[in-house]
Amino acid sequence: DTFRINLDYERGPWIGHAEYRFYPGYGANNADSYHFPRAAWVGYQLDQKDQIIAGLNRAPFGPGPFGVSQSWFFDQHYYVGLSDNMNLGIKYTVERIEDWTLDFAYYARSAPRGGGNNFSRQSSRFSYDVVDETGLGYEESHQFNLRAIYQSTLLGADSSLGASFLYQVLDSNGRQSNGDRFAASVHSVLEWGNWNLTSQLSYSKFNVDYQDADGVSLTRDLVTMGAYDFPTEVAAEMWIPAVSLSYLYETPTLTWLDSVRPFVEYSSLLKPKGGFNDSNFITLGSAWASGNWYIYSEMVFSDGNDFVGNREVSAPAEPDATGALSGQFGANENDRWQTRFNLNFGYYF
C-alpha cells in the first residue's frame, strides 16, 4: 500500500535526509491516490557529541523514534501526535554531558500537507497534526520540545531513563481565541541481552474552544487531528500508558531468515472527560528480517483505534461542525472491541 523514495546524504560534517511517500487510494472513502513528504532536513555534525538539523524532522518526544513500539501499527502515542511526529523547525542534540543525551527543538509549524485528489482539506500528511478542516478551526505553530535521556544500569539491564516535554501554540482561524497544547512524558528502555522492555507514561492537554461563525461554542473537549487524508476527533485531555516487550532471535543457521523479533504491546488513551470511553490497543506479532525483506505479521485488538475497525458503525455520513469524523480517539461512543490481522511485506532496495 506504500511506495516511498528515500535520500540520505553525508559529506564531512554535513548530513541530510529526505523521504517522500505515495499511497494508492488508502484514504477515507477510497479516495484517489495521494502523496506527501515525510521528512526533508539538512544537518551539521558540530563534533562527535553535538548535532544540529533543520527542516522537516522528527520532534524529540518519548523513548525513541517510534515511541515504545516494535510493531507496524505503532502505539496510541502516534495517533495523537506524540511519536514519529514530523514538523518544520530546528533541533539541537547534545551528548557531551556524561551519560546524558539532551534534545532541544523549536518548530515554526507542522508538516506541509501533500497532494492528490484528497478527501480532506489538510489531512494528507504522515504525522498526526492539529488540522483545520472548516477554515474556522486551529493550526499548529510555535512548538517547543525538550527531552533528556540518561544511560545507566537498572535491575541488571542496560537502561535509558528519560523525560520529555512539549508546548505548542494553536493558531485560530475562527472566532475563538488561540489555543495551546502541553504534553509531558516519562519513559524507559531496559535491555537484558536480546530482551527489550520499553515503557512510557504521558499526559496531554489541549486548550481549545471551537466556535461557529456566530461565535457559539461547539466543543472544548475534542480537537481535530488528521493524517493519511483522514481527519478525526481526539480527546482534548488524556493520559497515555504504553509498554512493549520484545525478543530479538537471530538465525545464523537459516539461509532464508536473518532474524525474527516477536513482541507484545499495549497502550491506551485514558480520558478524564465524563462520557468518554478509553481507547485500548493491543498488538501480538513478529517482525521478520531476510535480506532486503522486512515483514510484519500481527494480530491487533482494539476498542478505540480508527485503523483497526468499527469506523463504519460509529462515524456519521458527514464530518461534524469541527470538520472531523466522530473518532475512536475522541468520545469512542461504541467502545466495541475489534480485531485486525496485518501481514505487511516491505522490500528495501
Side-chain angles (χ1 to χ4, degrees):
D1 61 355
T2 309
F3 178 75
R4 72 189 222 196
I5 299 173
N6 293 65
L7 174 67
D8 291 285
Y9 176 82
E10 181 177 357
R11 184 173 184 180
W14 292 97
I15 54 177
H17 173 74
E19 180 178 324
Y20 206 93
R21 294 192 172 198
F22 300 83
Y23 288 85
Y26 192 67
N29 292 356
N30 293 319
D32 291 341
S33 62
Y34 59 97
H35 48 87
F36 48 74
R38 179 174 181 263
W41 55 262
V42 295
Y44 190 83
Q45 198 75 35
L46 299 173
D47 51 38
Q48 292 184 348
K49 301 294 185 180
D50 294 5
Q51 178 190 92
I52 186 168
I53 65 174
L56 182 59
N57 65 83
R58 181 182 292 110
F61 194 93
F66 311 114
V68 306
S69 186
Q70 304 285 348
S71 69
W72 187 84
F73 275 104
F74 298 162
D75 74 271
Q76 295 285 58
H77 280 89
Y78 170 74
Y79 301 95
V80 295
L82 292 179
S83 69
D84 204 15
N85 187 264
M86 305 294 179
N87 296 285
L88 279 170
I90 188 167
K91 178 170 61 177
Y92 180 42
T93 300
V94 181
E95 296 183 351
R96 64 175 62 250
I97 305 174
E98 185 177 1
D99 298 326
W100 285 91
T101 299
L102 304 176
D103 293 288
F104 307 89
Y106 165 74
Y107 298 100
R109 54 163 294 179
S110 62
R113 62 164 290 180
N117 186 12
N118 304 103
F119 168 75
S120 65
R121 285 166 49 97
Q122 297 292 333
S123 298
S124 179
R125 59 184 71 232
F126 171 80
S127 302
Y128 272 84
D129 297 315
V130 175
V131 294
D132 183 6
E133 292 293 337
T134 65
L136 298 173
Y138 293 95
E139 294 179 316
E140 296 181 359
S141 70
H142 304 304
Q143 176 174 317
F144 301 88
N145 283 78
L146 170 64
R147 179 172 64 182
I149 296 178
Y150 179 70
Q151 307 290 335
S152 182
T153 300
L154 181 65
L155 301 176
D158 294 332
S159 63
S160 300
L161 310 177
S164 301
F165 303 91
L166 176 154
Y167 178 77
Q168 176 184 79
V169 176
L170 301 176
D171 289 338
S172 170
N173 295 323
R175 294 289 299 272
Q176 66 272 353
S177 300
N178 290 345
D180 61 11
R181 181 189 199 181
F182 170 77
S185 182
V186 290
H187 38 82
S188 66
V189 180
L190 304 178
E191 294 184 320
W192 296 271
N194 289 356
W195 286 96
N196 180 292
L197 177 64
T198 304
S199 59
Q200 184 174 4
L201 176 63
S202 304
Y203 174 78
S204 172
K205 177 70 185 312
F206 290 94
N207 294 301
V208 293
D209 182 16
Y210 285 87
Q211 299 179 8
D212 63 17
D214 297 322
V216 177
S217 181
L218 300 172
T219 180
R220 298 179 180 178
D221 301 316
L222 296 165
V223 63
T224 301
M225 303 191 76
Y228 291 92
D229 201 24
F230 202 97
T232 189
E233 290 178 340
V234 173
E237 183 180 13
M238 67 191 81
W239 288 89
I240 315 168
V243 62
S244 171
L245 177 65
S246 67
Y247 182 83
L248 178 62
Y249 182 69
E250 297 176 327
T251 57
T253 61
L254 298 178
T255 58
W256 56 274
L257 184 65
D258 298 327
S259 67
V260 59
R261 183 188 289 272
F263 49 79
V264 56
E265 299 181 349
Y266 167 79
S267 60
S268 183
L269 306 178
L270 307 179
K271 307 159 193 173
K273 171 64 179 177
F276 280 21
N277 293 310
D278 297 337
S279 299
N280 298 294
F281 196 55
I282 300 171
T283 305
L284 305 175
S286 295
W288 311 76
S290 178
N292 291 351
W293 290 96
Y294 201 77
I295 301 168
Y296 291 97
S297 57
E298 303 170 332
M299 186 66 75
V300 186
F301 310 88
S302 178
D303 67 346
N305 186 287
D306 291 344
F307 284 89
V308 176
N310 215 22
R311 163 66 73 173
E312 70 279 359
V313 177
S314 62
E318 299 293 336
D320 66 11
T322 66
L325 295 173
S326 177
Q328 297 178 78
F329 306 121
N332 188 23
E333 296 173 353
N334 283 337
D335 196 25
R336 182 181 301 174
W337 282 91
Q338 298 286 306
T339 304
R340 178 172 177 174
F341 176 69
N342 176 50
L343 187 60
N344 182 273
F345 295 86
Y347 186 75
Y348 301 83
F349 57 93

